[in-house]
């Protein structure tokens, strides 16, 4: 007898329309969706799509425990279905069942590693369990997955093309669907930064880092933003975190070193650079950075070696050549000149990427030919370097003169009297103001050799406070500068003064009661200083206008000082400075003490005693031996102030006299009246 095998009974397929109807009800009427799903399951027990629908509906009506049971069963039966694993991981995380969430999300990211949200959620869950390094790796995997996201790529392309509005609209719409999406937050932060909205940039990038602490690129960006805003202690905290990344990157240590340098922790920065070079010596940029730190620390011989290591490895590295020349005590010889000229010839000044090397090389050759006493060639290179640099900076001499005039017209004796008392009474700050290359570093070094005074550096805090106040005029809140200043109540001025004291505290490394802020440009804000820090002292370091201006014109500054790249403009700037200080002297006699550089050189002890009397401090012999002070010095005069005062070079302008007509004309009566101010 032939036996036949009977085919197994087949369950009737559930109607597709019923499942689709139930899905449509899920968001608006989850109770009804659950009812329909259960009806389907009665017809087809265990049917996965209906089980999945029932689980999601149960979750939406608050039956999380039942939903988890269904999802667990589904995941066991269907261990490679991403939607099931995501729902299980998300619900377990939501209900606090972190271990179950981690198991589901680990399975999900193995099956489908291209889903950023799965990695981000896994990172959060791992962090809750104390698995910090694993969480960090999960965040990094999420960022890698996001780098292939078509929507994010479109937004990033729009940002790079300058279409910030389109990118912003796309990213904000994405955040509506995916709140706290870290890559979207970081990109929105970049958009705010490109628009100059630093507050908005910081808010968005901090949001990205808070959402994904392992987002290294966002934390790196946040550190740079904090540094730009001089929030250095916060930047240091983040930099210390970044170097612990499970994916070590040399750049993380470099940015930590940058923060340390800004905080004045030069020795630790030196250690980082030396470690990086021990691991990989062929890094010209790191050699240059090490040179900067060694120069600041006074290790001149080692600094020279570091800079030469940089230019040996990369002869076109203009900044390293300029750093050598800028030591002032180093003379670049004929071989150096030949190497620099060859490097300069190989660069295209029209190439935007090469411009910095080109102007640095021109400045370096200017110094080299100056040392060789070929002043015509020296002037030619200085002039070329300044002309190129001038095309890269913004400076409106007319606008600046108008601002200075408005400041002088505001801070009259009558106005200051009307403002009455107010401001922070702290006597701590000593502001050393003037022009760059005026002898201010010498004054600072002398004062910092006193037992009661700490030298810090050129601090940006007063400039930032003044800039913030000026922005209120620029944005239309006040009609003009005088109206804005007059609006400051005594409490406002106290708060601003206290802000300055608090923000500069990070730069103070000793318990000395007084400290020096050597930002030269603070001469523009002597009136504001008087209002918000009435007990602060102001020392004006002044040098012969031709000597000061030609020295500034020959000096390439790493940042700021945009007025120095044209002889006529630097002459106007000096004239504006003398005019404002003369007006302030007339309105508030005795508030500012003036140190004439030439007098300090010729009669050092007498001038030191005068400035100490102004500060209310006793004379100390150590002030005359300032060159023995081993404090870090970060300005262009760092090597000169480590030697006794010398009288050579009091009139550096004479070597360039044939070419100084634009400067002489711009200075006008300020030149002939020196060291006094013109009558008008």
């Amino acid at each position: 007898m032939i036996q036949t095998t009977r085919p197994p009974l087949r369950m009737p397929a559930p109607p597709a329309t019923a499942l689709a109807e139930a899905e449509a009800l899920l968001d608006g009427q989850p109770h009804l969706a659950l009812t329909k799903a259960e009806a389907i399951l009665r017809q087809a027990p265990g049917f996965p799509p209906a089980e999945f629908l029932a689980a999601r509906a149960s979750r939406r009506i608050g039956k999380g425990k039942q939903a988890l049971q269904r999802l667990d069963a589904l995941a066991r039966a269907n261990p490679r279905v991403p939607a099931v694993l995501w729902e299980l991981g998300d619900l377990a995380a939501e209900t606090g069942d972190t271990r179950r969430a981690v198991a589901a999300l680990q399975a999900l990211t193995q099956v489908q590693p291209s889903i950023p949200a799965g990695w981000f959620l896994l990172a959060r869950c791992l962090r809750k369990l104390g698995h910090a390094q694993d969480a960090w790796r999960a965040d990094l995997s999420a960022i890698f997955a996001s780098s292939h996201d078509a929507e994010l790529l479109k937004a990033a392309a729009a940002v790079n093309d300058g279409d910030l509005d389109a990118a912003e609209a796309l990213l904000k719409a994405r955040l509506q669907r995916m709140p706290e999406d870290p890559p979207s937050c970081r990109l929105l932060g970049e958009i705010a930064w490109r628009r100059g909205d630093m507050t908005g940039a910081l808010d968005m990038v901090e949001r990205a880092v808070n959402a994904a602490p392992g987002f290294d690129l966002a934390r790196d960006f946040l550190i740079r933003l904090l540094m730009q805003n001089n929030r250095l202690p916060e930047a240091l905290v983040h930099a210390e975190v970044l170097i612990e990344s499970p994916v070590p990157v040399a750049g993380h240590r470099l940015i930590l070193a940058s923060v340390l340098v800004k905080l004045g922790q030069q020795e630790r920065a030196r250690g980082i650079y030396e470690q990086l070079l021990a691991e990989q010596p062929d890094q010209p940029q790191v050699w240059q950075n090490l040179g900067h730190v060694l120069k600041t620390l006074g290790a001149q011989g080692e600094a020279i070696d570091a800079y030469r290591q940089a230019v040996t490895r990369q002869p076109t590295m203009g900044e390293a050549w300029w750093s050598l020349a800028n030591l002032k005590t180093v003379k670049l010889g004929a071989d150096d000149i030949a190497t620099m000229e060859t490097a300069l010839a190989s660069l295209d000044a029209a190439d935007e990427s090469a411009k910095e090397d080109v102007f640095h090389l021109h400045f370096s050759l200017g110094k080299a030919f100056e040392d060789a006493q070929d002043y015509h060639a020296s002037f030619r290179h200085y002039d070329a370097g300044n002309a190129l640099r001038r095309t890269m900076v913004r400076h409106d001499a007319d606008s600046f003169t108008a601002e200075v005039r408005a400041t002088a017209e505001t801070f009259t004796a009558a106005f200051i009297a009307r403002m009455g008392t107010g401001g922070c009474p702290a006597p701590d700050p000593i502001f050393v103001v003037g022009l760059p290359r005026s002898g201010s570093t010498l004054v600072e070094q002398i004062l910092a050799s006193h037992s009661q005074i700490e030298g810090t550096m050129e601090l940006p805090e007063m400039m930032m406070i003044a800039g913030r106040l000026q922005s209120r005029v620029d944005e239309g809140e006040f009609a003009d500068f005088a109206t804005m200043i007059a609006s400051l109540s005594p409490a406002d001025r106290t708060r601003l003064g206290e802000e300055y004291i608090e923000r500069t505290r990070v730069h103070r490394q000793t318990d000395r009661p007084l400290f020096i802020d050597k930002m030269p440009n603070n001469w523009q804000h002597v009136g504001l200083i008087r209002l918000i820090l009435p007990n602060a002292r102001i020392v004006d370091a002044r040098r012969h206008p031709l000597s000061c201006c030609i020295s500034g014109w020959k000096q390439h500054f790493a940042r700021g000082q945009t007025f120095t790249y044209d002889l006529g403009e630097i002459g106007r700037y000096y004239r504006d400075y003398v005019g404002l200080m003369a007006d302030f002297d007339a309105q508030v006699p005795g508030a500012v003490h003036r140190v004439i550089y030439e007098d300090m050189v010729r009669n050092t002890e007498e001038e030191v005693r005068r400035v100490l009397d102004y500060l209310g401090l006793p004379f100390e012999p150590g002030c005359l031996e300032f060159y023995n002070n081993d404090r870090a010095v970060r300005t262009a005069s760092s090597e000169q102030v480590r030697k006794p005062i010398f009288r050579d070079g009091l009139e550096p302008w004479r070597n360039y006299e044939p070419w100084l007509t634009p400067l002489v004309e711009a200075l006008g009566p300020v030149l002939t009246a020196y060291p006094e101010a013109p009558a008008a």
Side-chain angles (χ1 to χ4, degrees):
M1 178 178 173
I2 300 174
Q3 235 179 340
T4 59
T5 303
R6 185 176 177 181
L9 292 174
R10 296 182 181 276
M11 297 290 295
T17 53
L19 193 62
E21 288 172 3
E23 282 280 357
L25 296 168
L26 185 61
D27 289 329
Q29 297 175 282
H31 286 87
L32 190 53
L34 177 59
T35 299
K36 285 184 174 291
E38 288 174 337
I40 295 171
L41 288 168
R42 284 194 295 273
Q43 182 183 358
F47 182 58
E51 286 286 358
F52 187 48
L53 178 60
R56 289 180 289 153
S58 296
R59 180 182 181 182
R60 282 164 173 72
I61 64 176
K63 294 183 177 181
K65 187 175 181 180
Q66 293 178 14
L68 275 175
Q69 290 173 346
R70 286 183 184 272
L71 290 168
D72 257 339
L74 270 173
R76 285 194 298 271
N78 305 273
R80 298 185 62 81
V81 178
V84 172
L85 294 170
W86 167 256
E87 192 74 21
L88 174 58
D90 191 39
L91 178 55
E94 182 182 287
T95 57
D97 193 344
T98 308
R99 293 189 183 280
R100 184 185 292 187
V102 165
L105 293 165
Q106 285 176 332
L108 168 66
T109 52
Q110 287 176 6
V111 171
Q112 198 163 18
S114 61
I115 301 178
W119 286 110
F120 282 129
L121 183 54
L122 175 59
R124 290 197 290 274
C125 292
L126 287 167
R127 205 165 276 113
K128 285 183 180 179
L129 293 177
H131 303 321
Q133 288 291 298
D134 289 338
W136 202 324
R137 288 188 176 89
D139 274 334
L140 290 171
S141 295
I143 299 306
F144 178 76
S146 297
S147 68
H148 301 287
D149 184 291
E151 190 174 41
L152 287 172
L153 288 172
K154 182 178 179 182
V159 170
N160 290 333
D161 291 342
D163 193 352
L164 302 184
D165 290 341
E168 182 180 45
L170 194 157
L171 292 166
K172 285 186 172 179
R174 181 181 174 92
L175 281 180
Q176 289 290 321
R177 305 190 315 273
M178 305 165 60
E180 304 306 314
D181 177 51
S184 298
C185 292
R186 199 215 71 85
L187 267 174
L188 283 168
E190 182 176 342
I191 290 169
W193 173 73
R194 288 180 180 235
R195 287 173 170 162
D197 178 7
M198 294 300 290
T199 299
L202 280 164
D203 286 346
M204 292 308 301
V205 181
E206 283 177 335
R207 188 169 156 187
V209 171
N210 289 336
F215 191 171
D216 288 353
L217 288 173
R219 193 180 296 275
D220 183 297
F221 188 26
L222 177 58
I223 294 166
R224 296 175 195 278
L225 291 173
L226 290 168
M227 290 173 72
Q228 288 180 28
N229 284 268
N230 208 40
R231 289 166 56 177
L232 300 180
E234 296 167 78
L236 180 60
V237 170
H238 285 287
E240 298 278 20
V241 171
L242 191 58
I243 61 169
E244 299 299 325
S245 174
V247 180
V249 176
H252 295 166
R253 284 182 283 171
L254 284 172
I255 196 169
L256 172 59
S258 298
V259 178
L260 292 169
V261 165
K262 280 187 170 288
L263 283 167
Q265 297 183 33
Q266 310 291 337
E267 285 288 1
R268 189 176 169 203
R270 172 183 182 171
I272 292 173
Y273 292 137
E274 288 176 340
Q275 182 182 26
L276 287 168
L277 290 167
E279 296 168 5
Q280 187 179 342
D282 194 20
Q283 299 185 80
Q285 184 66 52
V286 181
W287 279 112
Q288 176 180 278
N289 292 352
L290 176 60
H292 293 339
V293 168
L294 292 167
K295 166 181 173 280
T296 302
L297 290 170
Q300 187 191 60
E302 293 175 80
I304 292 170
D305 179 65
Y307 290 138
R308 288 209 174 274
Q309 292 280 358
V311 297
T312 297
R313 287 168 168 79
Q314 187 175 327
T316 58
M317 196 171 191
E319 185 182 346
W321 280 112
W322 172 242
S323 299
L324 265 175
N326 199 30
L327 284 170
K328 304 297 189 286
T329 54
V330 173
K331 290 192 175 182
L332 300 174
D335 290 344
D336 294 319
I337 289 174
T339 302
M340 286 190 287
E341 288 181 329
T342 299
L344 187 60
S346 72
L347 295 169
D348 180 3
D351 180 358
E352 289 295 324
S353 64
K355 280 186 176 181
E356 290 211 8
D357 287 319
V358 170
F359 73 68
H360 274 120
L361 283 165
H362 275 304
F363 275 98
S364 304
L365 284 163
K367 176 63 165 58
F369 281 113
E370 182 179 6
D371 290 340
Q373 299 184 0
D374 184 345
Y375 299 114
H376 183 270
S378 173
F379 184 88
R380 178 167 51 82
H381 279 291
Y382 278 135
D383 194 44
N386 275 291
L388 178 57
R389 183 68 175 128
R390 183 64 184 85
T391 66
M392 302 168 67
V393 299
R394 295 179 62 185
H395 177 70
D396 186 334
D398 291 336
S399 177
F400 182 78
T401 298
E403 288 178 14
V404 171
R405 187 177 299 118
T407 301
E409 291 170 353
T410 297
F411 291 103
T412 63
F415 175 82
I416 293 172
R418 283 198 307 274
M419 295 295 284
T421 58
C424 173
D428 307 27
I430 301 169
F431 292 91
V432 176
V433 305
L435 263 70
R437 312 296 296 143
S438 65
S440 57
T441 303
L442 174 61
V443 173
E444 177 197 33
Q445 186 78 341
I446 289 170
L447 295 180
S449 300
H450 195 284
S451 63
Q452 301 299 300
I453 304 174
E454 178 177 3
T456 58
M457 56 184 180
E458 296 179 356
L459 304 180
E461 279 76 12
M462 187 57 64
M463 300 285 288
M464 292 172 68
I465 290 171
R468 197 169 71 230
L469 293 175
Q470 179 62 44
S471 70
R472 299 175 69 184
V473 180
D474 298 339
E475 293 168 5
E477 183 180 350
F478 294 96
D480 52 38
F481 179 78
T483 306
M484 182 272 297
I485 291 293
S487 75
L488 298 176
S489 69
D492 291 334
R493 284 148 43 206
T494 299
R495 175 179 51 77
L496 290 171
E498 289 173 346
E499 176 189 341
Y500 173 85
I501 295 295
E502 187 57 36
R503 289 177 70 92
T504 54
R505 200 176 305 281
V506 67
H507 301 289
R508 301 177 68 174
Q509 309 296 324
T510 72
D511 59 358
R512 296 184 182 188
L514 306 177
F515 73 97
I516 301 169
D517 179 342
K518 205 193 77 65
M519 176 61 75
N521 311 67
N522 280 332
W523 67 264
Q524 302 165 36
H525 309 302
V526 288
L528 178 63
I529 291 170
R530 178 76 176 186
L531 288 185
I532 71 174
L533 290 162
N535 294 320
R537 293 286 184 264
I538 302 173
V539 177
D540 176 17
R542 187 168 299 180
R543 186 181 181 190
H544 187 281
L546 289 179
S547 296
C548 186
C549 291
I550 194 65
S551 294
W553 182 77
K554 293 190 303 173
Q555 178 73 43
H556 174 255
F557 297 93
R559 65 187 61 83
Q561 318 306 0
T562 56
F563 59 91
T564 61
Y565 300 110
D566 179 273
L567 286 172
E569 289 178 344
I570 197 171
R572 285 189 62 176
Y573 186 93
Y574 190 103
R575 193 176 69 201
D576 289 335
Y577 146 72
V578 169
L580 180 64
M581 296 305 289
D583 282 336
F584 195 73
D585 287 344
Q587 302 303 319
V588 193
V592 175
H593 177 83
R594 187 153 295 109
V595 175
I596 302 300
Y597 175 72
E598 292 79 13
D599 292 343
M600 178 65 81
V601 171
R602 295 188 185 100
N603 305 298
T604 306
E605 182 172 343
E606 180 183 339
E607 292 302 315
V608 170
R609 288 183 180 275
R610 286 183 64 245
V611 70
L612 290 176
D613 285 345
Y614 163 75
L615 297 173
L617 296 173
F619 174 78
E620 291 182 359
C623 292
L624 299 181
E625 298 177 357
F626 59 87
Y627 43 85
N628 291 324
N629 189 335
D630 61 358
R631 59 178 284 267
V633 180
R634 296 175 60 179
T635 66
S637 304
S638 61
E639 295 310 308
Q640 292 161 299
V641 298
R642 291 194 169 99
K643 295 184 177 183
I645 288 178
F646 58 94
R647 297 187 181 186
D648 298 343
L650 277 178
E651 297 183 320
W653 58 273
R654 292 198 180 278
N655 297 324
Y656 300 94
E657 191 169 7
W659 306 286
L660 298 187
T661 300
L663 174 58
V664 171
E665 291 177 348
L667 288 167
V670 166
L671 177 58
T672 53
Y674 182 80
E676 303 300 325

